[in-house]
Amino acid sequence: MRKTVKSFLRSLGIEIRRPSKSVSDIRERIVQLEPPQGRTSRGRALLAYVLEPFLRGNSPISNAHTHDWESLQIAQTLLERGFSVDVISYLNRTFNPADDYRIFIGARTNFERIAPRVPAECIKIVHLDTAHWLFNNQAAYRRLLDLQKRRGVTLDNIKTVEANWAIEHADMGTVLGNDFTIDTYRYAGKPLFRIPISTPETYDWAADKDIEAARHRYLWFGSSGFVHKGLDLVLEAFAGMPDKRLVVCGPFDDEPRFLDAYRKELFETSNIEATGWVDVSGQKFRNIAQSCIGLIYPSCSEGGGGSAITCMHAGMVPLLSRETSVDVGDSGLILTSSDIGEIRARVRALSEEPEERLAARVQASIGIARESHTREIFAAAFARFVDDHLLQRPRNPSTSSLGESP
């Protein structure tokens, strides 16, 4: 799982070619990749996504976010099918496509600037990793207003999404989340295809979880955007449940205003343990996962809750909002209002379930995660998408499909 970028690409017979011009700003770099020797060429593809993993040299691929590995995998899939691939950062605002690109895959940011500049016959796919910006931002500001009314403090939300019209400039879209995220884009009338989000780690040790020791312990685990992801609600809920214990794992240094507003709950409340950021590959995270019965994560908008899926892999029962965009099946519970009262009620009810029922939920959580969210599953799903919807798609009524070599 920890292949370096060079070995990852070398295993395919691929070497990175850097542009001759030295560019100091990563946002302006271009990485050019060629398919393995002997592979029939299908032309060029443009990928505008996460560039950093292509420039890491001998460093391992970051586990901080799934998009690092996923960006590499998208490129690999195209290379395996005979495309030369130019990779740029999705934040590159100066790149002007000059080649006869046959496929353009890009994140929502900057998509609408590039899309009109590729050849008319180029198939344009937007890779959607958040809910639509109108839904996302409305939900984000609603959370901030609710917090302002409850606590008399105004915080910011770094998870607001810039206005963009990517889906309206695309021929189709790929979505990491479930029907919740897909529904926010249906208005555009474009074909939408789910590519289940990957996970950086899987675990084989959760079957021996001590249910009785863990039944009153819960985890909130997420990256920055604490109000967006409901940490304020969870802290207030657990502050009123002294018989339940909450572990909080997140990058505290990213949000000093939040820490000031919730210092008492985070650092002065006996049943709340503020742990900070934890590497999901490390033993500390494994210990936390074994000690907690469930993950509580009432986000207001996601494109596919990667942290929730990681915790499901680790044997935690998910208590999630619908907007987290994760299918939980029989393993966990979906919150309807995500308010403090509902969080308390659901936590108390789950903690009182019989040991056999909790053990079954743990195993179901692991099973759903393994069946739907691994790197192998992401790779297979994206490969099917390319084979079924790109290689067989006519470029226009008078030309051949991409499945036919030029």
Side-chain angles (χ1 to χ4, degrees), residues 28 83 85 151 194 209 227 231 243 269 353 362 371 379 388:
E28 297 181 3
F83 289 97
V85 183
R151 303 279 290 202
R194 186 179 180 185
K209 193 183 198 79
V227 177
L231 179 55
D243 59 323
T269 302
E353 288 189 356
V362 167
E371 290 168 6
D388 295 346

Side-chain angles (χ1 to χ4, degrees), residues 93 108-113 130-137 141 159-169 185 187:
R93 300 188 183 278
R108 66 189 186 279
T109 303
N110 219 22
F111 189 94
E112 68 197 68
R113 185 188 71 82
T130 70
H132 190 276
W133 66 272
L134 278 177
F135 181 97
N136 182 89
N137 294 358
Y141 286 119
K159 301 301 288 185
T160 52
V161 175
E162 76 289 345
N164 69 86
W165 286 261
I167 187 62
E168 296 171 35
H169 284 77
Y185 291 99
Y187 78 95

